[in-house]
């Protein structure tokens, strides 16, 4: 398999607003591009508050974590059916600060597995699994810290054992509200369990997280992108 190619990302103009709905920036996409859409809200209060609607791409929600006393975090994905501009419109029902980002990949056979941190805690290290379904996939991710620790004050890392550090990690800090880290691993190697680990040095963080597999492409022609109806949403109460 050939690993997919990361193309670009587009965020909401701000992550420090309660105005709803708001859209990410737009990306110019080709047919077959995979779009990952991540959104986070500063507080979940035990209820689902975030919704994401694709523009130029149909998004399917794969992971949604909204336990009380934590940041809510959503992960959705879609395959572009017609070339043009794509974006995600994000709404929040509870008046909390929120924001989001879309990641674009090309040269992919579709969307694979996903995972989330099921039981966040206040600690210096947090981990969850994405069980990839084929070799040479990429994984896009988002971690959200309810403690709102300033990234400049810690030595955070996102890694997978046997793979190494994430290819890219972008921190977004909203003082007194929440901190978000999003990014991707370009190629996680052989299919199987990939444990994504966020570490924050000596400082405790309360982390929620989601990760989504972007399949690579077969060397000879590939296969049709996988339909999104194959994937089941997992909700965390």
């Amino acid at each position: 398999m050939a690993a997919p190619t990361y193309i670009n990302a587009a965020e909401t103009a701000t992550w420090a607003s309660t105005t709803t709905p708001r859209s990410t920036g737009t990306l110019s996409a080709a047919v077959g591009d995979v779009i990952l859409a991540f959104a986070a809200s500063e507080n979940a209060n035990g209820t689902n508050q975030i919704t994401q609607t694709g523009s130029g791409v149909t998004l399917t929600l794969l992971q949604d974590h909204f336990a009380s006393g934590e940041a809510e975090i959503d992960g959705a994905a879609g395959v572009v059916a017609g070339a043009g501009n794509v974006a995600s419109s994000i709404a929040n029902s509870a008046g909390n600060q929120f924001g989001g980002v879309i990641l674009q990949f090309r040269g992919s056979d579709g969307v694979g597995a996903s995972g989330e941190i099921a039981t966040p805690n206040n600690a210096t290290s947090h981990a969850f699994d994405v069980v990839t379904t084929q070799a040479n996939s990429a994984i896009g991710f988002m971690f959200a810290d309810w403690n709102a620790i300033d990234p400049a004050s810690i030595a955070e890392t996102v890694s997978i054992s046997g793979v190494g550090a994430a290819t890219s990690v972008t921190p977004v800090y909203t003082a007194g509200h929440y901190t978000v880290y999003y990014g991707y691993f370009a190629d996680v190697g052989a299919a199987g369990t990939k444990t994504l680990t966020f570490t924050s040095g000596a400082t405790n963080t309360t982390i929620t997280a989601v990760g989504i597999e972007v399949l690579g492409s077969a060397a000879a022609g590939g296969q049709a992108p996988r339909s999104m109806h194959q994937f089941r949403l997992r909700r965390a109460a």
Side-chain angles (χ1 to χ4, degrees):
M1 304 297 295
T5 301
Y6 169 79
I7 301 298
N8 209 343
E11 301 180 13
T12 48
T14 178
W15 299 69
S17 172
T18 62
T19 300
T20 185
R22 285 182 287 117
S23 181
T24 65
T26 60
L27 297 174
S28 178
V31 173
D33 283 0
V34 170
I35 303 298
L36 304 185
F38 297 104
S41 170
E42 64 176 314
N43 203 0
N45 299 323
T47 59
N48 180 29
Q49 299 169 3
I50 297 174
T51 57
Q52 296 192 81
T53 305
S55 172
V57 61
T58 299
L59 296 175
T60 297
L61 184 61
L62 302 180
Q63 299 287 342
D64 182 12
H65 192 101
F66 51 86
S68 212
E70 301 159 4
E72 181 177 358
I73 192 166
D74 277 16
V79 178
V80 176
N85 290 333
V86 298
S88 174
S89 177
I90 307 164
N92 185 293
S93 63
N96 290 318
Q97 292 191 6
F98 70 97
V101 63
I102 55 174
L103 306 182
Q104 177 186 14
F105 295 84
R106 189 164 293 163
S108 169
D109 287 341
V111 179
S114 63
E116 66 169 24
I117 288 183
T119 309
N121 60 352
N122 190 38
T124 60
S125 182
H126 310 266
F128 71 101
D129 294 338
V130 175
V131 183
T132 57
T133 58
Q134 65 184 38
N136 305 114
S137 293
I139 294 178
F141 60 81
M142 177 181 279
F143 292 80
D145 175 25
W146 186 74
N147 290 0
I149 303 300
D150 185 349
S153 70
I154 63 175
E156 84 280 351
T157 61
V158 179
S159 62
I160 295 174
S161 178
V163 175
T167 306
S168 174
V169 181
T170 299
V172 181
Y173 176 52
T174 304
H177 293 272
Y178 66 134
T179 305
V180 166
Y181 304 84
Y182 71 82
Y184 69 97
F185 294 85
D187 184 345
V188 297
T193 300
K194 309 299 175 183
T195 301
L196 284 71
T197 302
F198 177 95
T199 57
S200 53
T203 304
N204 281 357
T205 50
T206 298
I207 293 288
T208 48
V210 298
I212 302 173
E213 177 188 11
V214 180
L215 302 175
S217 61
Q223 62 189 42
R226 295 191 183 184
S227 168
M228 291 305 301
H229 76 264
Q230 298 179 39
F231 304 103
R232 180 174 59 87
L233 167 65
R234 176 185 175 188
R235 294 188 182 275

